Amino acid sequence: KYTKFSIFYYWINSVGKKTFIDRKLLEIPIPPGEENQTTTRSYSHKTMPLESTSFTGTYYCEVKWNDIAKMGAGVFVLATDAGYIQTSYRWEILLTLITIFAALSITGTGLLLWKRKASC
């Protein structure tokens, strides 16, 4: 009875609309001597990259036997327009160094002029 089951993958968007992504039909034979025992199996599902921010929502999997359905807790996915951007601090470091050198140069010039004026 429990050897044939279906796994459904779907997501629910921010307004509560359920959209099915994929479905797997499986039949797992029970080895002799292991009848009436609970077992755990893992199945992975890869999705395509999200195309827009409208794909933000909670993604679920659900397993259905003849008269039983079990649903996972779900995973919330937030899709953004920019995606992941690698941060580079190259320009910030360069600007900081230029500012420090300019400040030191102005201070040094001021001290030299002040010392020259004081010795005259």
Side-chain angles (χ1 to χ4, degrees), residues 53-71:
T53 57
S54 64
F55 287 93
T56 293
T58 305
Y59 288 73
Y60 296 93
C61 70
E62 184 175 15
V63 178
K64 289 185 180 182
W65 292 271
N66 293 334
D67 55 347
I68 299 173
K70 295 288 184 180
M71 186 172 78

Side-chain angles (χ1 to χ4, degrees), residues 5 7 9 24 26 28 38-46 61 63 65:
F5 56 94
I7 303 176
Y9 298 95
K24 289 182 182 180
L26 298 168
I28 307 296
T38 301
T39 185
T40 301
R41 303 248 179 183
S42 295
Y43 297 95
S44 61
H45 178 76
K46 292 183 179 183
C61 70
V63 178
W65 292 271

